[in-house]
Coordinates of all heavy atoms in Angstrom, one line a residue:
M1491 N -12.1 -11.5 1.4 CA -13.3 -11.4 0.6 C -13.2 -12.6 -0.4 O -12.1 -13.0 -0.9 CB -13.3 -10.1 -0.2 CG -14.5 -9.9 -1.0 SD -14.7 -8.3 -1.6 CE -15.2 -7.4 -0.2
H1492 N -14.3 -13.2 -0.8 CA -14.3 -14.4 -1.6 C -15.2 -14.1 -2.8 O -16.3 -13.6 -2.7 CB -14.9 -15.5 -0.8 CG -15.1 -16.8 -1.5 ND1 -14.1 -17.6 -1.9 CD2 -16.2 -17.4 -1.9 CE1 -14.6 -18.6 -2.6 NE2 -15.9 -18.5 -2.6
E1493 N -14.7 -14.5 -4.0 CA -15.4 -14.4 -5.2 C -16.3 -15.6 -5.5 O -15.8 -16.7 -5.4 CB -14.5 -14.1 -6.4 CG -14.1 -12.7 -6.6 CD -13.5 -12.5 -8.0 OE1 -13.4 -13.4 -8.8 OE2 -13.0 -11.4 -8.2
K1494 N -17.5 -15.4 -5.9 CA -18.3 -16.5 -6.2 C -18.1 -16.9 -7.7 O -17.7 -16.1 -8.5 CB -19.8 -16.2 -6.0 CG -20.2 -16.0 -4.6 CD -21.7 -15.7 -4.5 CE -22.0 -15.6 -3.0 NZ -23.4 -15.4 -2.8
P1495 N -18.3 -18.2 -8.0 CA -18.1 -18.6 -9.4 C -18.9 -17.8 -10.5 O -18.4 -17.5 -11.5 CB -18.5 -20.1 -9.4 CG -18.3 -20.5 -8.0 CD -18.6 -19.3 -7.2
F1496 N -20.1 -17.3 -10.1 CA -20.9 -16.6 -11.0 C -20.2 -15.3 -11.5 O -20.2 -14.9 -12.6 CB -22.3 -16.2 -10.4 CG -23.1 -15.5 -11.4 CD1 -23.7 -16.1 -12.5 CD2 -23.4 -14.2 -11.2 CE1 -24.5 -15.5 -13.4 CE2 -24.2 -13.5 -12.1 CZ -24.8 -14.1 -13.2
R1497 N -19.5 -14.6 -10.5 CA -18.7 -13.4 -10.8 C -17.6 -13.8 -11.9 O -17.4 -13.0 -12.8 CB -18.1 -12.9 -9.6 CG -17.2 -11.6 -9.8 CD -16.7 -11.1 -8.5 NE -15.6 -10.1 -8.7 CZ -15.8 -8.8 -8.9 NH1 -17.0 -8.3 -8.9 NH2 -14.7 -8.1 -9.1
S1498 N -17.0 -14.9 -11.7 CA -16.0 -15.3 -12.7 C -16.6 -15.6 -14.1 O -15.9 -15.2 -15.1 CB -15.2 -16.6 -12.2 OG -14.5 -16.3 -11.0
I1499 N -17.8 -16.1 -14.1 CA -18.4 -16.4 -15.4 C -18.7 -15.0 -16.1 O -18.5 -14.9 -17.3 CB -19.7 -17.2 -15.2 CG1 -19.3 -18.6 -14.8 CG2 -20.6 -17.2 -16.4 CD1 -20.5 -19.4 -14.3
V1500 N -19.3 -14.1 -15.3 CA -19.6 -12.8 -15.9 C -18.3 -12.1 -16.4 O -18.3 -11.5 -17.5 CB -20.4 -11.9 -15.0 CG1 -20.6 -10.5 -15.5 CG2 -21.7 -12.5 -14.7
K1501 N -17.3 -12.1 -15.6 CA -16.0 -11.5 -16.0 C -15.4 -12.2 -17.3 O -14.9 -11.6 -18.2 CB -15.0 -11.6 -14.9 CG -15.3 -10.6 -13.8 CD -14.4 -10.9 -12.6 CE -12.9 -10.7 -12.8 NZ -12.1 -10.9 -11.5
T1502 N -15.6 -13.5 -17.3 CA -15.1 -14.3 -18.5 C -15.8 -13.9 -19.7 O -15.2 -13.6 -20.8 CB -15.4 -15.8 -18.2 OG1 -14.7 -16.2 -17.1 CG2 -15.0 -16.6 -19.4
I1503 N -17.1 -13.7 -19.7 CA -17.9 -13.4 -20.9 C -17.6 -11.9 -21.3 O -17.4 -11.7 -22.5 CB -19.4 -13.5 -20.6 CG1 -19.8 -15.0 -20.4 CG2 -20.3 -12.9 -21.7 CD1 -21.1 -15.3 -19.9
S1504 N -17.5 -11.0 -20.4 CA -17.2 -9.6 -20.8 C -15.8 -9.5 -21.4 O -15.6 -8.8 -22.4 CB -17.4 -8.6 -19.6 OG -16.5 -8.9 -18.6
W1505 N -14.8 -10.2 -20.8 CA -13.5 -10.1 -21.3 C -13.4 -10.8 -22.6 O -12.7 -10.3 -23.5 CB -12.5 -10.8 -20.3 CG -11.1 -10.8 -20.8 CD1 -10.4 -11.9 -21.1 CD2 -10.2 -9.7 -21.1 NE1 -9.2 -11.6 -21.6 CE2 -9.0 -10.2 -21.6 CE3 -10.4 -8.3 -21.0 CZ2 -8.0 -9.4 -22.0 CZ3 -9.3 -7.5 -21.3 CH2 -8.2 -8.1 -21.8
R1506 N -14.0 -11.9 -22.8 CA -13.9 -12.6 -24.1 C -14.6 -11.8 -25.2 O -14.2 -11.9 -26.4 CB -14.5 -14.0 -24.0 CG -13.6 -15.0 -23.4 CD -12.2 -15.0 -23.9 NE -11.9 -14.7 -25.2 CZ -10.8 -14.0 -25.6 NH1 -9.9 -13.5 -24.7 NH2 -10.5 -13.7 -26.8
A1507 N -15.7 -11.1 -24.9 CA -16.3 -10.3 -25.9 C -15.4 -9.3 -26.5 O -15.2 -9.1 -27.7 CB -17.6 -9.6 -25.4
L1508 N -14.7 -8.6 -25.6 CA -13.7 -7.6 -26.0 C -12.5 -8.3 -26.7 O -12.1 -7.8 -27.8 CB -13.1 -6.9 -24.8 CG -12.1 -5.8 -25.0 CD1 -12.7 -4.7 -25.9 CD2 -11.6 -5.2 -23.7
G1509 N -12.0 -9.4 -26.2 CA -10.9 -10.1 -26.8 C -11.3 -10.6 -28.2 O -10.4 -10.6 -29.1
T1510 N -12.5 -11.1 -28.4 CA -12.9 -11.7 -29.7 C -13.0 -10.6 -30.7 O -12.6 -10.8 -31.9 CB -14.2 -12.4 -29.5 OG1 -14.0 -13.5 -28.6 CG2 -14.7 -13.0 -30.8
I1511 N -13.5 -9.4 -30.3 CA -13.6 -8.3 -31.3 C -12.2 -8.0 -31.7 O -11.9 -7.8 -32.9 CB -14.3 -7.1 -30.6 CG1 -15.8 -7.4 -30.5 CG2 -14.1 -5.8 -31.5 CD1 -16.5 -6.4 -29.6
D1512 N -11.2 -7.9 -30.8 CA -9.8 -7.6 -31.1 C -9.3 -8.7 -32.1 O -8.6 -8.4 -33.1 CB -9.0 -7.6 -29.8 CG -7.5 -7.3 -30.1 OD1 -7.2 -6.3 -30.7 OD2 -6.7 -8.2 -29.6
T1513 N -9.5 -10.0 -31.8 CA -9.0 -11.0 -32.6 C -9.6 -11.0 -34.0 O -8.9 -11.1 -35.0 CB -9.4 -12.4 -32.0 OG1 -8.7 -12.5 -30.8 CG2 -8.9 -13.6 -32.9
M1514 N -10.9 -10.6 -34.1 CA -11.5 -10.5 -35.4 C -10.9 -9.4 -36.2 O -10.7 -9.5 -37.5 CB -13.0 -10.4 -35.3 CG -13.6 -11.7 -34.8 SD -15.4 -11.7 -34.4 CE -16.1 -10.8 -35.7
V1515 N -10.7 -8.3 -35.6 CA -10.1 -7.1 -36.3 C -8.7 -7.4 -36.8 O -8.4 -7.2 -38.0 CB -10.1 -5.8 -35.4 CG1 -9.3 -4.7 -36.0 CG2 -11.5 -5.4 -35.1
I1516 N -7.9 -8.0 -35.9 CA -6.5 -8.4 -36.3 C -6.6 -9.4 -37.5 O -5.8 -9.3 -38.4 CB -5.8 -8.9 -35.1 CG1 -5.5 -7.8 -34.1 CG2 -4.4 -9.6 -35.6 CD1 -5.0 -8.2 -32.8
S1517 N -7.5 -10.4 -37.3 CA -7.6 -11.5 -38.3 C -8.0 -10.9 -39.7 O -7.5 -11.3 -40.7 CB -8.6 -12.5 -37.9 OG -8.2 -13.2 -36.8
Y1518 N -8.9 -9.9 -39.6 CA -9.3 -9.3 -40.9 C -8.2 -8.5 -41.5 O -8.0 -8.6 -42.8 CB -10.5 -8.3 -40.6 CG -11.0 -7.6 -41.9 CD1 -11.6 -8.3 -42.9 CD2 -10.7 -6.3 -42.1 CE1 -12.0 -7.7 -44.0 CE2 -11.0 -5.6 -43.2 CZ -11.7 -6.3 -44.2 OH -12.1 -5.7 -45.4
F1519 N -7.4 -7.8 -40.7 CA -6.3 -7.0 -41.3 C -5.2 -8.0 -41.9 O -4.6 -7.7 -42.9 CB -5.6 -6.2 -40.3 CG -6.3 -4.9 -40.0 CD1 -6.6 -4.5 -38.7 CD2 -6.8 -4.1 -41.0 CE1 -7.3 -3.4 -38.4 CE2 -7.5 -2.9 -40.7 CZ -7.8 -2.6 -39.4
I1520 N -5.1 -9.2 -41.3 CA -4.1 -10.1 -41.8 C -4.6 -10.9 -43.0 O -3.9 -11.0 -44.0 CB -3.7 -11.1 -40.7 CG1 -2.9 -10.4 -39.6 CG2 -2.9 -12.3 -41.3 CD1 -2.6 -11.2 -38.4
T1521 N -5.9 -11.3 -43.0 CA -6.4 -12.1 -44.1 C -7.1 -11.3 -45.2 O -7.2 -11.8 -46.3 CB -7.4 -13.2 -43.6 OG1 -8.5 -12.6 -43.0 CG2 -6.7 -14.1 -42.5
G1522 N -7.7 -10.2 -44.8 CA -8.5 -9.4 -45.7 C -9.8 -10.1 -46.0 O -10.5 -9.7 -47.0
N1523 N -10.2 -11.1 -45.2 CA -11.4 -11.9 -45.5 C -12.2 -11.8 -44.2 O -11.9 -12.4 -43.2 CB -10.9 -13.3 -45.8 CG -12.1 -14.2 -46.2 OD1 -13.2 -14.1 -45.6 ND2 -11.9 -15.1 -47.1
L1524 N -13.4 -11.2 -44.3 CA -14.3 -11.0 -43.2 C -14.8 -12.4 -42.7 O -14.9 -12.6 -41.5 CB -15.4 -10.1 -43.6 CG -16.3 -9.6 -42.4 CD1 -15.5 -9.0 -41.3 CD2 -17.4 -8.7 -42.9
K1525 N -15.1 -13.3 -43.6 CA -15.7 -14.6 -43.2 C -14.6 -15.4 -42.4 O -14.9 -16.0 -41.4 CB -16.1 -15.4 -44.5 CG -16.8 -16.7 -44.1 CD -17.3 -17.4 -45.4 CE -18.0 -18.7 -45.1 NZ -18.4 -19.4 -46.2
M1526 N -13.4 -15.3 -42.9 CA -12.3 -16.0 -42.2 C -12.1 -15.4 -40.8 O -11.9 -16.1 -39.8 CB -11.0 -15.9 -43.0 CG -9.8 -16.6 -42.4 SD -10.0 -18.4 -42.2 CE -9.7 -18.9 -43.8
A1527 N -12.1 -14.0 -40.7 CA -11.9 -13.3 -39.5 C -13.0 -13.7 -38.5 O -12.7 -14.0 -37.3 CB -11.9 -11.8 -39.7
A1528 N -14.2 -13.8 -38.9 CA -15.3 -14.2 -38.1 C -15.2 -15.6 -37.6 O -15.5 -16.0 -36.5 CB -16.7 -14.0 -38.8
S1529 N -14.7 -16.5 -38.5 CA -14.5 -17.9 -38.1 C -13.4 -18.1 -37.1 O -13.6 -18.8 -36.1 CB -14.1 -18.7 -39.4 OG -15.1 -18.8 -40.3
I1530 N -12.3 -17.4 -37.2 CA -11.3 -17.4 -36.2 C -11.8 -16.8 -34.9 O -11.5 -17.4 -33.9 CB -10.0 -16.6 -36.7 CG1 -9.4 -17.3 -37.9 CG2 -9.0 -16.4 -35.6 CD1 -8.4 -16.4 -38.7
G1531 N -12.5 -15.7 -34.9 CA -13.1 -15.2 -33.7 C -14.0 -16.1 -33.0 O -14.0 -16.2 -31.8
A1532 N -14.9 -16.8 -33.8 CA -15.9 -17.7 -33.2 C -15.2 -18.9 -32.5 O -15.6 -19.3 -31.4 CB -16.8 -18.2 -34.3
I1533 N -14.1 -19.4 -33.1 CA -13.4 -20.5 -32.5 C -12.7 -20.1 -31.2 O -12.9 -20.8 -30.2 CB -12.4 -21.2 -33.5 CG1 -13.2 -21.8 -34.7 CG2 -11.5 -22.1 -32.8 CD1 -12.3 -22.2 -35.8
E1534 N -12.0 -19.0 -31.3 CA -11.2 -18.6 -30.1 C -12.2 -18.1 -29.0 O -11.8 -18.2 -27.8 CB -10.1 -17.6 -30.4 CG -10.6 -16.2 -30.9 CD -10.8 -15.3 -29.7 OE1 -10.0 -15.2 -28.8 OE2 -11.8 -14.6 -29.8
L1535 N -13.3 -17.7 -29.3 CA -14.3 -17.2 -28.3 C -14.5 -18.3 -27.3 O -14.4 -18.1 -26.1 CB -15.6 -16.8 -28.9 CG -16.8 -16.5 -28.0 CD1 -16.5 -15.2 -27.2 CD2 -18.0 -16.3 -28.8
F1536 N -14.8 -19.5 -27.7 CA -15.2 -20.6 -26.8 C -14.0 -21.2 -26.2 O -14.0 -21.5 -25.0 CB -16.0 -21.6 -27.6 CG -17.3 -21.1 -28.0 CD1 -17.6 -20.8 -29.3 CD2 -18.3 -20.9 -27.1 CE1 -18.8 -20.3 -29.7 CE2 -19.6 -20.4 -27.5 CZ -19.8 -20.1 -28.8
T1537 N -12.9 -21.4 -26.9 CA -11.7 -22.0 -26.3 C -11.1 -21.1 -25.2 O -10.7 -21.5 -24.1 CB -10.6 -22.3 -27.3 OG1 -10.2 -21.1 -28.0 CG2 -11.1 -23.4 -28.3
K1538 N -11.1 -19.8 -25.5 CA -10.5 -18.9 -24.5 C -11.4 -18.6 -23.3 O -10.9 -18.4 -22.2 CB -10.0 -17.6 -25.2 CG -8.8 -17.9 -26.0 CD -8.2 -16.6 -26.6 CE -7.0 -17.0 -27.4 NZ -6.5 -15.8 -28.2
M1539 N -12.7 -18.7 -23.5 CA -13.6 -18.5 -22.3 C -13.4 -19.7 -21.4 O -13.3 -19.5 -20.2 CB -15.1 -18.5 -22.8 CG -15.5 -17.1 -23.1 SD -17.3 -16.9 -23.1 CE -17.9 -18.1 -24.2
F1540 N -13.3 -20.9 -21.9 CA -13.1 -22.1 -21.1 C -11.7 -22.0 -20.4 O -11.7 -22.2 -19.1 CB -13.0 -23.3 -22.1 CG -12.7 -24.6 -21.4 CD1 -13.7 -25.3 -20.7 CD2 -11.5 -25.1 -21.5 CE1 -13.4 -26.5 -20.0 CE2 -11.1 -26.3 -20.8 CZ -12.1 -27.0 -20.1
L1541 N -10.7 -21.6 -21.0 CA -9.4 -21.5 -20.4 C -9.4 -20.4 -19.4 O -8.8 -20.5 -18.3 CB -8.3 -21.2 -21.4 CG -8.0 -22.4 -22.4 CD1 -7.1 -21.9 -23.5 CD2 -7.4 -23.5 -21.6
Y1542 N -10.0 -19.2 -19.7 CA -10.0 -18.1 -18.7 C -10.8 -18.4 -17.5 O -10.3 -18.1 -16.4 CB -10.6 -16.8 -19.4 CG -10.6 -15.7 -18.5 CD1 -9.5 -14.8 -18.3 CD2 -11.8 -15.4 -17.7 CE1 -9.6 -13.8 -17.4 CE2 -11.8 -14.3 -16.9 CZ -10.7 -13.5 -16.7 OH -10.8 -12.5 -15.8
Y1543 N -11.9 -19.1 -17.6 CA -12.7 -19.4 -16.4 C -11.9 -20.2 -15.4 O -11.8 -19.9 -14.2 CB -14.0 -20.1 -16.8 CG -14.8 -20.6 -15.6 CD1 -15.6 -19.7 -14.9 CD2 -14.7 -21.9 -15.1 CE1 -16.3 -20.0 -13.8 CE2 -15.4 -22.2 -14.0 CZ -16.2 -21.3 -13.3 OH -16.8 -21.7 -12.2
F1544 N -11.2 -21.2 -15.9 CA -10.5 -22.1 -15.0 C -9.2 -21.4 -14.5 O -8.8 -21.5 -13.3 CB -10.1 -23.4 -15.6 CG -11.4 -24.3 -15.7 CD1 -12.0 -24.4 -16.9 CD2 -11.9 -24.9 -14.6 CE1 -13.2 -25.2 -17.0 CE2 -13.1 -25.6 -14.6 CZ -13.7 -25.8 -15.9
H1545 N -8.6 -20.5 -15.3 CA -7.5 -19.7 -14.8 C -7.9 -18.8 -13.7 O -7.3 -18.6 -12.7 CB -7.0 -18.9 -16.0 CG -5.8 -18.0 -15.7 ND1 -6.0 -16.7 -15.5 CD2 -4.5 -18.3 -15.6 CE1 -4.8 -16.1 -15.3 NE2 -3.9 -17.1 -15.3
E1546 N -9.1 -18.1 -13.9 CA -9.6 -17.2 -12.9 C -10.0 -17.9 -11.6 O -9.7 -17.4 -10.5 CB -10.9 -16.5 -13.5 CG -11.6 -15.6 -12.6 CD -10.8 -14.2 -12.4 OE1 -9.9 -13.9 -13.1 OE2 -11.2 -13.5 -11.4
R1547 N -10.6 -19.1 -11.7 CA -10.9 -19.8 -10.5 C -9.7 -20.3 -9.7 O -9.6 -20.3 -8.5 CB -11.8 -21.0 -10.8 CG -13.1 -20.7 -11.4 CD -13.9 -19.7 -10.6 NE -14.2 -20.1 -9.3 CZ -14.4 -19.2 -8.3 NH1 -14.4 -18.0 -8.5 NH2 -14.6 -19.7 -7.0
A1548 N -8.6 -20.7 -10.4 CA -7.4 -21.0 -9.8 C -6.8 -19.9 -9.0 O -6.3 -20.0 -7.9 CB -6.4 -21.6 -10.8
W1549 N -6.8 -18.7 -9.7 CA -6.2 -17.5 -9.0 C -7.1 -17.1 -7.8 O -6.5 -16.6 -6.8 CB -6.1 -16.3 -10.0 CG -4.8 -16.3 -10.7 CD1 -4.6 -16.8 -12.0 CD2 -3.6 -15.9 -10.2 NE1 -3.2 -16.6 -12.2 CE2 -2.6 -16.1 -11.2 CE3 -3.2 -15.3 -8.9 CZ2 -1.3 -15.7 -11.0 CZ3 -1.8 -15.0 -8.8 CH2 -0.9 -15.2 -9.8
S1550 N -8.4 -17.3 -7.9 CA -9.2 -16.9 -6.7 C -8.9 -17.8 -5.5 O -9.2 -17.4 -4.4 CB -10.7 -17.0 -7.1 OG -11.2 -18.3 -7.2
K1551 N -8.4 -19.0 -5.7 CA -8.0 -19.9 -4.6 C -6.6 -19.6 -4.1 O -6.2 -20.1 -3.0 CB -8.1 -21.3 -5.0 CG -9.6 -21.7 -5.3 CD -9.6 -23.1 -5.8 CE -11.0 -23.4 -6.3 NZ -11.8 -24.3 -5.5
S1552 N -5.9 -18.8 -4.8 CA -4.5 -18.5 -4.4 C -4.4 -17.3 -3.5 O -5.1 -16.3 -3.7 CB -3.6 -18.3 -5.7 OG -2.4 -17.8 -5.3
S1553 N -3.5 -17.3 -2.6 CA -3.3 -16.2 -1.7 C -2.1 -15.4 -2.2 O -1.7 -14.4 -1.5 CB -3.1 -16.6 -0.3 OG -2.0 -17.4 -0.1
F1554 N -1.5 -15.8 -3.3 CA -0.3 -15.1 -3.8 C -0.6 -13.6 -4.0 O -1.5 -13.2 -4.7 CB 0.1 -15.7 -5.2 CG 1.3 -15.1 -5.8 CD1 2.6 -15.4 -5.3 CD2 1.1 -14.2 -6.8 CE1 3.7 -14.7 -5.9 CE2 2.2 -13.6 -7.4 CZ 3.5 -13.8 -7.0
G1555 N 0.3 -12.8 -3.4 CA 0.2 -11.3 -3.6 C -0.9 -10.6 -2.8 O -1.2 -9.4 -3.0
L1556 N -1.7 -11.4 -2.0 CA -2.7 -10.8 -1.2 C -2.2 -10.4 0.2 O -1.4 -11.2 0.8 CB -3.9 -11.7 -1.0 CG -4.6 -12.1 -2.3 CD1 -5.7 -13.1 -2.0 CD2 -5.2 -10.9 -3.0
I1557 N -2.7 -9.4 0.8 CA -2.4 -8.9 2.1 C -3.6 -8.9 2.9 O -4.6 -8.3 2.5 CB -1.7 -7.6 2.1 CG1 -0.4 -7.6 1.2 CG2 -1.4 -7.1 3.5 CD1 0.2 -6.2 1.0
K1558 N -3.6 -9.5 4.1 CA -4.8 -9.4 5.0 C -4.9 -7.9 5.6 O -3.9 -7.4 6.0 CB -4.7 -10.4 6.1 CG -5.2 -11.7 5.7 CD -5.6 -12.5 6.9 CE -6.3 -13.8 6.4 NZ -7.2 -14.3 7.3
T1559 N -6.0 -7.4 5.5 CA -6.2 -6.1 6.1 C -7.2 -6.2 7.3 O -7.9 -7.2 7.4 CB -6.8 -5.1 5.1 OG1 -8.0 -5.6 4.6 CG2 -5.8 -4.9 3.9
P1560 N -7.2 -5.3 8.2 CA -8.1 -5.4 9.4 C -9.6 -5.7 9.1 O -10.3 -6.4 9.8 CB -8.0 -4.0 10.1 CG -6.6 -3.5 9.7 CD -6.4 -4.1 8.3
Q1561 N -10.1 -5.2 8.0 CA -11.5 -5.4 7.7 C -11.8 -6.8 7.0 O -12.9 -7.1 6.7 CB -12.1 -4.3 6.8 CG -11.4 -4.1 5.5 CD -10.3 -3.0 5.5 OE1 -9.6 -2.9 6.5 NE2 -10.2 -2.2 4.5
D1562 N -10.8 -7.6 6.8 CA -10.9 -8.9 6.2 C -11.1 -10.0 7.3 O -10.7 -11.1 7.2 CB -9.7 -9.3 5.4 CG -9.6 -8.6 4.1 OD1 -10.7 -8.0 3.7 OD2 -8.6 -8.5 3.5
Y1563 N -11.8 -9.7 8.4 CA -12.1 -10.6 9.4 C -13.5 -11.2 9.3 O -14.4 -10.6 8.7 CB -11.8 -10.1 10.8 CG -12.8 -8.9 11.2 CD1 -13.9 -9.2 11.8 CD2 -12.5 -7.6 10.8 CE1 -14.8 -8.2 12.2 CE2 -13.3 -6.6 11.2 CZ -14.5 -6.9 11.8 OH -15.4 -5.9 12.1
Q1564 N -13.7 -12.3 9.9 CA -15.1 -12.9 10.0 C -15.5 -13.0 11.4 O -14.8 -13.2 12.3 CB -15.1 -14.3 9.4 CG -14.8 -14.3 7.9 CD -14.9 -15.7 7.4 OE1 -14.9 -16.7 8.1 NE2 -14.8 -15.8 6.0
I1565 N -16.8 -12.8 11.6 CA -17.4 -12.9 13.0 C -18.1 -14.2 13.1 O -18.7 -14.7 12.3 CB -18.5 -11.7 13.2 CG1 -17.7 -10.4 13.1 CG2 -19.2 -11.9 14.5 CD1 -18.7 -9.2 13.2

């Protein structure tokens, strides 16, 4: 089975939304400043989406840890 790049993009966005909320909550607890927490979250949102997308695409090209099963054939 092969993943299309669009699937990686959707997974990237959903994962980063969750991760950014986590980063903002942690940043707020550390700094006590909501504006600072939002700034940190906004910056890491874009940098980590970029990194995750390319990380995900690299893994989709790797066969590491995959096992072929009988239904993974092509006609």
Side-chain angles (χ1 to χ4, degrees):
M1491 189 170 283
H1492 176 71
E1493 277 194 3
K1494 293 183 178 183
F1496 182 71
R1497 178 178 164 88
S1498 294
I1499 291 170
V1500 172
K1501 286 170 65 177
T1502 298
I1503 292 168
S1504 67
W1505 176 246
R1506 279 317 327 143
L1508 181 62
T1510 298
I1511 290 168
D1512 178 57
T1513 297
M1514 289 172 47
V1515 168
I1516 292 169
S1517 297
Y1518 178 73
F1519 283 132
I1520 291 171
T1521 66
N1523 183 326
L1524 189 57
K1525 186 175 180 181
M1526 180 65 76
S1529 296
I1530 293 168
I1533 291 168
E1534 70 87 45
L1535 171 67
F1536 294 104
T1537 59
K1538 288 186 180 172
M1539 272 200 306
F1540 176 80
L1541 292 170
Y1542 179 84
Y1543 175 80
F1544 288 104
H1545 178 261
E1546 178 73 15
R1547 296 310 303 155
W1549 271 102
S1550 73
K1551 293 177 190 249
S1552 171
S1553 61
F1554 178 80
L1556 297 177
I1557 301 170
K1558 279 203 169 202
T1559 58
Q1561 58 267 41
D1562 286 343
Y1563 66 90
Q1564 292 182 350
I1565 296 176

